[in-house]
Amino acid sequence: MMLVNEAKRRSFEGRLLSLGEQDIRFGQAELSEMAKHCRFELRDIAGEPELARKKSLRSKDYLSMSYLMKSLGFESCSSLDQSDFEGAEIVFDLNSSEFPEEHREGYDVVLNGGTLEHVFHLPNALSNIHQFLNTNGRIIHAFAPSSNYMEHGFYQFSCAFFLDYYAANGYSVDTLQVLRHSLTDADAPYWVADYWPAFRYGIEGKLDSGDGHGYAIFCVATKSPGATCNVVPQQSHYQSVWQSELSRESDGGRL
């Protein structure tokens, strides 16, 4: 549903690069229902819907990632992985500092559906994503695991990680949401809410993760002209605290 809403907010077109082959857990009927709910017109693709490669998903008539993304407007859809065991068109390790020049600024959208947390060298991974993207292209972190995801990958992310990193590097952050979902039923619907800075209300880190649910982040950021990837951010919350303290000290010095 979030991807359909994003396609409605700003049309999908051109080339998509997915970090890994993503599992889609719904079929054509569900996709049509989502589009109807969002008042979004799906792109008409000739022939039968392309189903997922995995037998467990294919047996339920779930769609392939490529078919879904083309239905949302893309002309082409490629996937990247460190090996070709799931049929990735581009074999590349996001940990690497050596970018494949033939793919520089070759994509209109890069989709991270749950890969970044498995890449140990985050600065290199973020740099590579930046270099894959065209200017004015979008990075979509469709599922960045947060609370209650210990041992799922190397990292659990906070909204501040994406908000402060992209702001420091000149991207525009278009959407930032928190997802809550069942840890026992992969097909259950998500609860979605826009992010608001929890520290302002004194509840940082206090998501309820003992109720059988996990939390993740949906973030969309646009690569503005002149955007960078190597500026190290300071956490904005503490910057505001420092500035407030300096302001008080300055006022005290004038009295």
Side-chain angles (χ1 to χ4, degrees), residues 1 24-28 30-31 34 61-63 68 187:
M1 185 74 79
I24 306 303
R25 296 186 175 275
F26 51 81
Q28 182 64 52
E30 292 89 345
L31 174 59
M34 288 182 208
D61 291 331
Y62 288 165
L63 301 174
L68 168 64
D187 295 332

Side-chain angles (χ1 to χ4, degrees), residues 76-232:
S76 69
C77 177
S78 302
S79 61
L80 173 151
D81 211 327
Q82 67 166 346
S83 72
D84 62 359
F85 81 106
E86 286 191 323
E89 290 84 1
I90 301 173
V91 177
F92 176 68
D93 187 349
L94 287 170
N95 287 294
S96 176
S97 60
E98 300 294 327
F99 184 80
E101 287 297 328
E102 65 273 20
H103 296 292
R104 182 175 296 281
E105 297 188 347
Y107 297 91
D108 300 286
V109 171
V110 173
L111 174 65
N112 167 35
T115 293
L116 197 63
E117 70 270 20
H118 303 292
V119 182
F120 184 80
H121 204 302
L122 280 179
N124 281 356
L126 292 167
S127 173
N128 286 320
I129 290 170
H130 173 82
Q131 293 177 88
F132 277 118
L133 270 179
N134 289 329
T135 299
N136 297 318
R138 282 170 282 180
I139 169 64
I140 300 177
H141 299 281
F143 193 93
S146 188
S147 182
N148 216 20
Y149 270 93
M150 183 179 290
E151 299 298 344
H152 171 74
F154 290 120
Y155 304 101
Q156 298 180 80
F157 293 100
S158 68
C159 288
F161 175 85
F162 295 109
L163 186 65
D164 292 346
Y165 170 76
Y166 285 119
N169 282 280
Y171 279 67
S172 65
V173 177
D174 306 309
T175 304
L176 192 56
Q177 296 175 316
V178 177
L179 317 178
R180 177 179 181 267
H181 67 100
S182 171
L183 291 172
T184 57
D185 183 1
D187 295 332
Y190 289 6
W191 169 89
V192 182
D194 291 337
Y195 166 73
W196 44 270
F199 60 78
R200 293 180 184 170
Y201 300 86
I203 60 171
E204 57 182 311
K206 296 180 182 177
L207 287 173
D208 180 6
S209 59
D211 58 356
H213 290 84
Y215 294 82
I217 295 164
F218 181 83
C219 175
V220 180
T222 297
K223 181 181 178 181
S224 307
T228 59
C229 60
N230 56 2
V231 176
V232 177

